[in-house]
């Protein structure tokens, strides 16, 4: 086997514990099972070690990464090869593992372009973190590193802490969320960050720090002079941890953003933070959402807000607050003339009219203040008041004075950068009196001009916004016209369908009630020509000679039939004549049965027809009348079949008391 040798000058130049490409490769070669097998067989491999050593001095970028992947034994990541010369490298969720992270570390030792490295959720473990730490000791260009959710554990935390303690790397932002850090790791970070002056942002959220870990981190806050952003959300700090952090925050002079949400420290933690805010004038944003803080805790926190003159954003959503706690918070801003508060987030709290009046009064003194609440109690079911579009009001104002749109906002831009902070923009809009805009309209305007929540209103795009507004208005007009046309067409179709349905129902569901001499020849609108017998008698079969002769004269085609068939046809005749009955027939039914409603009259008519036709159908199906049934015309057969099913439906809809005698026949 060929021996691995290093260049003496390079080894002397390297400090103890530092990383070089050759040292990483040597470590991999010595621990590789394949190399042990090769040593036993005393054979060479496809990858010539001596040639690799000579070429690594000149290899860079993608070529170096490919060689490292061959040596480590992993598949190269094509995205890394394509973007190795870009400043931002996102390798989140790539499944690199410890060996994949080692290959990345080898390639980045000499890289000078990547400044932001994302390696979240790659299961690199402590082994991969150790390789990255060694790389960061040599690379002075990477400034932001995200290795969240990689199961680093205590061993990985210890390696990172040693790097922080030595102040060697150029890292200024590190994300270590979700890495199963326990109590003992908090002590490592505390000792490392006591003297660290490089790291400005640190994310330790979604770990397992409890009260003791909070005490260590509170000590770190009291002594650290570099951190500006600290995220400790989704831990288990509880009361003692929050009190320790509050004590550290009280004397801290650099921290600007602190996230303590989802730690469950309750009113005691709110009291400690309120006391810290009385002295701390550096903190700008505080997030204590979801911490079981009720109205009492809000009142204790408000005591600090009455004195603090630098806090701008306070997030307290998802706490068990009511309108009383909300009033306490807003009242504290009213009492503090030096307050710089811009946003209070209590998005789950329902407020009332008293709170809104108080907020309007406070906004007159602090026009930059924006309170995000859940809704107004008692007004949820009412239709919200329609307000005019603020952009349209501004446009109308400028049109009247023949001004350009961007001239209106130019007066608010003091430094001429064409960008205005949201707080200053809100304050200027509240204080101006040229255009009548209330607090809700100004909030809508801010949302339109700062859609991505960057905190800055860029009025360079106002021309495009104006054009988009005109296009939106035209689109709304076209949409309204199209909607009206569709509604009109739909109404016409419904009316047409309704008329057809009325015509069909009146022609098929009515019963002709006329005299026995010539029922079809009489006018249908005169009640005098109709029988005034009870409704139940209309469905009885006609058995008299007169009715038989009239039916035979009306239907000469059946006059040749004898015996039972003539009697059968006389029963089906009323149904044949019922198709020509008009709407006025219902008036006749009321004439004979004035106590029946329209729906009852229609039910009686349908039931009578169905019962009569059902008897005809049943007799026709018997063996004695089979011949007569076959001699029926097709229209009469269809009517009998159809009435069979109609009788069943009518029987189900009618009461047994009224139609008990017909229910037996339908069965």
């Amino acid at each position: 086997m060929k021996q691995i040798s290093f260049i003496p000058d390079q080894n002397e130049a390297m400090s103890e514990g530092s990383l070089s490409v050759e040292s990483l490769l040597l470590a991999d070669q010595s621990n590789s099972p394949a190399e042990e097998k090769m040593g036993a067989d005393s054979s060479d491999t496809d990858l010539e070690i001596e040639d690799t050593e000579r070429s690594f001095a000149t290899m860079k970028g993608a070529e170096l990464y490919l060689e490292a992947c061959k040596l480590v034994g992993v598949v190269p990541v094509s995205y890394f090869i394509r973007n190795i010369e870009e400043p931002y490298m996102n390798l989140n969720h790539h499944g690199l593992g410890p060996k994949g992270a080692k290959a990345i570390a080898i390639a980045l030792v000499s890289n000078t372009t990547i400044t932001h490295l994302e390696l979240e959720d790659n299961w690199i473990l402590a082994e991969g973190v150790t390789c990255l730490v060694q790389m960061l000791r040599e690379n002075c260009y990477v400034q932001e590193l995200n290795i969240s959710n990689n199961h680093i554990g205590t061993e990985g935390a210890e390696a990172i802490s040693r790097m922080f303690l030595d102040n060697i790397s150029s890292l200024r932002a590190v994300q270590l969320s979700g890495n199963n850090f326990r109590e003992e790791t908090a002590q490592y970070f505390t000792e490392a960050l006591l003297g660290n002056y490089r790291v400005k942002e640190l994310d330790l959220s979604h770990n397992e720090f409890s009260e003791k870990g909070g005490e260590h981190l509170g000590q770190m806050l009291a002594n650290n002079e570099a951190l500006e952003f600290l995220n400790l959300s989704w831990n288990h700090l509880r009361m003692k941890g929050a009190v320790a952090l509050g004590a550290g925050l009280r004397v801290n002079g650099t921290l600007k953003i602190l996230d303590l949400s989802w730690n469950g420290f309750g009113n005691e933690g709110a009291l400690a933070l309120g006391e810290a805010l009385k002295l701390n004038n550096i903190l700008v944003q505080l997030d204590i959402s979801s911490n079981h803080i009720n109205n009492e805790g809000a009142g204790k926190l408000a005591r600090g807000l009455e004195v603090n003159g630098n806090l701008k954003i306070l997030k307290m959503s998802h706490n068990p607050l009511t309108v009383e706690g909300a009033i306490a918070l807003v009242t504290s801003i009213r009492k503090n003339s030096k307050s710089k508060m811009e946003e209070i987030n209590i998005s789950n709290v329902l407020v009332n009219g008293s709170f809104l009046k108080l907020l309007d009064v406070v906004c007159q003194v602090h026009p930059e203040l924006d309170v995000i609440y859940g809704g107004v109690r008692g007004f949820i079911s009412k239709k919200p008041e329609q307000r005019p579009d603020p952009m349209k009001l501004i446009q109308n104002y400028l049109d009247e004075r023949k001004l350009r749109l961007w001239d209106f906002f130019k007066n608010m831009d003091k430094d001429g950068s064409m960008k205005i902070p949201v707080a200053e923009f809100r304050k200027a809009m509240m204080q101006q009196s040229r255009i009548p805009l209330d607090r809700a309209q100004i909030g809508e305007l801010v949302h339109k001009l700062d859609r991505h929540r960057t905190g800055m209103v860029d009025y360079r795009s106002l021309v495009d916004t104006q054009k988009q507004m005109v296009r939106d208005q035209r689109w709304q007009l076209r949409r309204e016209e199209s909607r009206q046309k569709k509604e009109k067409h739909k109404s016409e179709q419904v009316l047409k369908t309704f008329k057809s349905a009325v015509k069909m129902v009146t022609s098929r569901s009515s019963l002709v009630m006329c005299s026995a001499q010539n029922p079809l020849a009489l006018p249908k609108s005169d009640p005098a020509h109709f029988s005034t017998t009870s409704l139940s008698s209309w469905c009885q079969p006609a058995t008299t000679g007169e009715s038989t002769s009239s039916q035979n004269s009306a239907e000469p085609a059946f006059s040749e039939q004898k015996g039972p068939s003539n009697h059968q046809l006389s029963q089906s005749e009323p149904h044949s004549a019922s198709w020509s009955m008009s709407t006025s027939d219902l008036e006749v039914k009321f004439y004979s049965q004035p106590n029946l409603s329209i729906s009852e009259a229609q039910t009686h008519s349908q039931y009578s027809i169905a019962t009569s036709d059902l008897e005809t159908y049943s007799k026709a199906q018997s063996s004695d009348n089979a011949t007569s049934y076959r001699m029926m015309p097709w229209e009469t057969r269809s009517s009998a079949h159809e009435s069979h099913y109609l009788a069943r439906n009518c029987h189900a809809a009618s009461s047994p008391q009224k139609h008990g005698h017909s229910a037996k026949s339908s069965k």
Side-chain angles (χ1 to χ4, degrees), residues 134-247:
Q134 292 176 354
M135 177 270 296
L136 291 171
R137 290 178 180 273
E138 293 292 322
N139 186 308
C140 59
Y141 295 93
V142 178
Q143 299 180 6
E144 299 181 39
L145 175 65
N146 180 9
I147 49 176
S148 302
N149 301 303
N150 275 294
H151 303 271
I152 294 173
T154 304
E155 185 180 352
E158 187 176 0
I160 296 174
S161 299
R162 286 197 301 266
M163 178 183 66
F164 288 164
L165 184 61
D166 295 337
N167 276 304
I168 297 176
S169 70
S170 300
L171 285 178
R172 59 173 301 274
V174 185
Q175 298 182 42
L176 301 170
S177 175
N179 276 303
N180 302 324
F181 293 155
R182 301 182 182 275
E183 296 284 26
E184 57 272 14
T185 60
Q187 186 174 359
Y188 294 149
F189 287 116
T190 299
E191 295 175 355
L193 293 172
L194 286 177
N196 183 278
Y197 55 86
R198 293 182 181 272
V199 178
K200 304 294 183 182
E201 301 178 10
L202 180 61
D203 184 358
L204 293 173
S205 61
H206 290 85
N207 283 294
E208 301 179 17
F209 298 131
S210 60
E211 293 182 342
K212 189 175 181 180
E215 293 175 359
H216 288 297
L217 294 173
Q219 182 182 359
M220 180 270 296
L221 272 185
N223 295 276
N224 182 273
E225 298 179 356
L227 272 181
E228 298 179 358
F229 171 89
L230 178 61
N231 187 354
L232 293 173
S233 61
W234 289 92
N235 280 283
H236 314 287
L237 300 178
R238 305 298 185 224
M239 181 192 69
K240 292 183 180 180
V243 171
L245 287 170

Side-chain angles (χ1 to χ4, degrees), residues 7 24 55 63 177 192 230 233 295 311 371 395 401 512 534 582 592:
I7 301 174
L24 275 176
S55 62
E63 185 181 4
S177 175
L230 178 61
S233 61
N295 295 335
L311 190 67
V371 179
Q395 184 62 45
R401 288 156 179 79
V512 176
S534 61
S582 63
S592 60

Side-chain angles (χ1 to χ4, degrees), residues 166 211 266 322 464 538 582 610 623:
D166 295 337
E211 293 182 342
T322 64
D464 297 334
W538 294 342
S582 63
S623 58

Side-chain angles (χ1 to χ4, degrees), residues 474-523:
R474 293 176 180 175
W475 179 77
Q476 289 288 349
L477 291 175
R478 290 195 298 268
R479 184 180 180 184
E480 181 65 20
E481 293 176 358
S482 176
R483 188 189 64 81
Q484 292 178 357
K485 290 181 180 179
K486 290 181 180 179
E487 289 293 334
K488 183 178 179 181
H489 179 70
K490 184 178 180 180
S491 300
E492 293 176 352
Q493 292 294 329
V494 170
L495 183 60
K496 183 178 179 180
T497 305
F498 176 75
K499 291 180 180 180
S500 302
V502 169
K503 184 177 181 181
M504 182 177 294
V505 169
T506 54
S507 63
R508 295 178 64 89
S509 64
S510 303
L511 176 65
V512 176
M513 298 165 292
C514 56
S515 61
Q517 286 78 12
N518 192 6
L520 297 178
L522 294 177

Side-chain angles (χ1 to χ4, degrees), residues 187-458:
Q187 186 174 359
Y188 294 149
F189 287 116
T190 299
E191 295 175 355
L193 293 172
L194 286 177
N196 183 278
Y197 55 86
R198 293 182 181 272
V199 178
K200 304 294 183 182
E201 301 178 10
L202 180 61
D203 184 358
L204 293 173
S205 61
H206 290 85
N207 283 294
E208 301 179 17
F209 298 131
S210 60
E211 293 182 342
K212 189 175 181 180
E215 293 175 359
H216 288 297
L217 294 173
Q219 182 182 359
M220 180 270 296
L221 272 185
N223 295 276
N224 182 273
E225 298 179 356
L227 272 181
E228 298 179 358
F229 171 89
L230 178 61
N231 187 354
L232 293 173
S233 61
W234 289 92
N235 280 283
H236 314 287
L237 300 178
R238 305 298 185 224
M239 181 192 69
K240 292 183 180 180
V243 171
L245 287 170
L249 182 65
R250 182 185 178 93
V251 296
N252 183 277
T254 58
L255 193 65
K256 296 181 179 180
I257 300 176
L258 177 61
D259 189 348
L260 297 176
S261 59
W262 297 92
N263 274 288
F265 48 70
N267 296 335
E268 292 78 8
L271 174 61
L273 293 174
E275 293 297 323
L277 291 177
K278 290 181 179 180
L279 292 179
N280 185 294
N281 284 316
I282 303 299
L283 194 68
V284 175
Q285 177 175 327
L286 176 63
D287 190 347
I288 52 175
S289 304
S290 302
N291 274 297
H292 305 293
I293 301 174
N294 55 24
N295 295 335
E296 180 184 355
K300 295 176 180 178
L301 182 67
R303 297 173 187 173
L305 298 178
E306 294 176 1
V307 181
N308 186 278
N310 199 64
L311 190 67
K312 295 182 178 181
I313 299 175
L314 176 63
K315 297 182 179 181
M316 293 188 63
S317 60
H318 300 94
N319 281 296
L321 295 175
T322 64
V323 66
E324 297 178 2
I327 290 177
L329 295 173
V330 176
T331 303
S332 66
I333 306 301
R334 182 182 183 183
K335 294 180 180 179
N336 187 358
S337 59
K338 298 180 181 179
S339 176
K340 296 182 180 179
M341 189 67 69
E342 299 176 0
E343 177 184 326
I344 299 178
N345 190 333
I346 47 175
S347 57
N348 63 305
V349 179
L350 293 178
V351 300
N352 54 20
S354 301
F355 174 84
L356 295 179
K357 293 179 180 178
L358 174 63
L359 183 59
D360 290 336
V361 173
V362 174
C363 286
Q364 295 297 327
V365 182
H366 302 276
E368 70 278 1
L369 178 62
D370 180 27
V371 179
I372 304 173
Y373 50 83
V376 182
R377 186 183 303 171
F379 295 91
I380 298 176
S381 60
K382 294 184 179 181
K383 186 177 180 180
E385 182 182 356
Q386 296 293 332
R387 296 183 176 88
D389 187 357
M391 286 296 298
K392 188 174 182 180
L393 293 177
I394 295 175
Q395 184 62 45
N396 294 337
Y397 170 82
L398 297 177
D399 291 342
E400 292 175 358
R401 288 156 179 79
K402 298 181 179 180
L403 298 174
R404 291 173 297 181
L405 185 60
W406 63 276
D407 288 335
F408 179 80
F409 297 95
K410 188 177 180 180
N411 297 329
M412 305 178 190
D413 187 8
K414 298 178 181 179
D415 55 0
S417 62
M418 303 187 74
K419 292 184 179 180
I420 309 172
V422 170
E424 295 182 8
F425 176 78
R426 190 187 300 274
K427 181 178 180 180
M429 293 302 297
M430 288 290 294
Q431 292 177 346
Q432 63 87 27
S433 58
R434 295 170 294 176
I435 304 176
L437 296 175
D438 58 14
R439 179 168 46 82
Q441 289 174 313
I442 293 175
E444 181 181 353
L445 186 61
V446 169
H447 179 71
K448 286 184 177 181
L449 298 179
D450 185 23
R451 296 181 182 273
H452 302 291
R453 304 285 293 177
T454 60
M456 300 293 292
V457 173
D458 188 353

